[in-house]
Amino acid sequence: MKHYFFALLTVMFSMGIVLGQSNCSHYYPLVDGANFEYTSYDKKGKEEGKINYKVTNVNGSGDNVTATMVMQLEDQKGNTYDSEYNVTCDGDKVKIDFKSLMNEQMLNQLGEMEVEVSGTDIELPSNLGVGQELPDGNVTVQMKMGGAMNMNMNVETINRKVEKIETVTTPAGTFKNCLVIYSETRTKMIMANQTMPSRVWIAEGIGMVKQESYNKSGKLMASSVLTAYSL
């Protein structure tokens, strides 16, 4: 089950924030009870599974709002893996609380281990424009597996910037004037280091509508699109 924990952690960093609507942010808004369904595909376009988000526990108003994102990942076999994390919007930026990533659902994926987590919150400005550079984010997870054996995992989002504006059509509809955000997700674990460039298309009032991940040569390796939502 440990590999599902790692998958969930990487998904949170690579896909960005997915939220409903409020007055706090144009592109990353919040509304209690909003639902978003994404379908994931492999490099050949074959469906791999679905990710569902639900916005809950919205508190505050105006330019100061907090909420909990409940996420469920379903694979092709129908197995589901749940997690949740906290999101804050303070008027000029939206951020994910990295400490909340290590919640009960996540820890259950790891079994009997001592776990320590450190890092920086993922921040996204409320107002975005083409050419804008965005702050990096990272989470480091240290796991004590018993005896002298330890395992560390570090996930970073780096080189983040707003590239351009495009129109995107998905099964959920056509979304005009989407901002395209480029970033690189760098994962380090044991002897393995991997960096995957990605792009996220975000629509005003909706959030993410499309995401693509590439290999180091720029070839498409995986994608996700918004297939259904309700606000």
Side-chain angles (χ1 to χ4, degrees):
M1 297 293 288
K2 297 179 182 62
H3 63 288
Y4 292 114
F5 162 78
F6 299 132
L8 287 170
L9 185 61
T10 303
V11 162
M12 291 178 191
F13 268 67
S14 62
M15 291 187 67
I17 297 177
V18 184
L19 303 172
Q21 188 169 9
S22 78
N23 294 325
C24 193
S25 171
H26 297 297
Y27 287 95
Y28 301 98
L30 293 160
V31 65
D32 208 346
N35 286 276
F36 301 85
E37 178 193 81
Y38 295 86
T39 301
S40 300
Y41 303 91
D42 65 14
K43 61 184 179 181
K44 295 182 179 180
K46 182 180 178 181
E47 183 176 333
E48 288 191 314
K50 295 184 183 297
I51 301 175
N52 289 276
Y53 291 86
K54 184 175 182 180
V55 184
T56 64
N57 300 325
V58 177
N59 293 293
S61 61
D63 292 337
N64 191 353
V65 180
T66 63
T68 300
M69 296 298 301
V70 178
M71 183 179 75
Q72 183 180 78
L73 187 154
E74 181 179 352
D75 65 19
Q76 284 183 302
K77 297 180 180 180
N79 299 313
T80 59
Y81 311 95
D82 302 325
S83 188
E84 62 182 45
Y85 53 92
N86 299 327
V87 177
T88 301
C89 181
D90 67 3
D92 62 354
K93 62 179 175 294
V94 176
K95 62 182 180 180
I96 296 176
D97 176 9
F98 76 88
K99 292 181 180 178
S100 71
L101 298 176
M102 295 306 302
N103 51 50
E104 182 178 355
Q105 295 98 323
M106 280 290 210
L107 292 174
N108 285 340
Q109 301 290 332
L110 298 176
E112 298 296 327
M113 288 188 187
E114 290 185 36
V115 180
E116 295 181 1
V117 60
S118 59
T120 59
D121 294 339
I122 308 171
E123 294 186 359
L124 301 104
S126 299
N127 296 305
L128 298 170
V130 174
Q132 186 174 356
E133 295 184 357
L134 306 178
D136 295 341
N138 72 83
V139 165
T140 296
V141 181
Q142 298 177 314
M143 293 159 282
K144 297 181 180 180
M145 305 175 65
M149 183 177 294
N150 297 323
M151 180 185 296
N152 296 333
M153 178 184 183
N154 179 260
V155 180
E156 299 176 279
T157 53
I158 59 175
N159 298 326
R160 303 169 67 216
K161 61 183 178 182
V162 183
E163 285 188 321
K164 53 188 174 181
I165 296 175
E166 291 185 342
T167 295
V168 176
T169 298
T170 79
T174 296
F175 304 93
K176 297 181 179 180
N177 300 320
C178 294
L179 291 179
V180 183
I181 299 178
Y182 173 86
S183 66
E184 296 171 3
T185 301
R186 184 163 60 197
T187 305
K188 299 178 182 179
M189 184 174 63
I190 311 177
M191 300 298 293
N193 295 331
Q194 181 180 19
T195 299
M196 293 188 66
S198 66
R199 286 182 174 87
V200 174
W201 286 255
I202 59 173
E204 186 170 356
I206 301 295
M208 192 188 84
V209 297
K210 179 181 176 181
Q211 186 265 349
E212 293 183 345
S213 298
Y214 315 95
N215 62 17
K216 61 182 180 180
S217 299
K219 184 177 179 181
L220 180 67
M221 299 301 294
S223 63
S224 297
V225 298
L226 181 66
T227 47
Y229 71 97
S230 62
L231 298 177

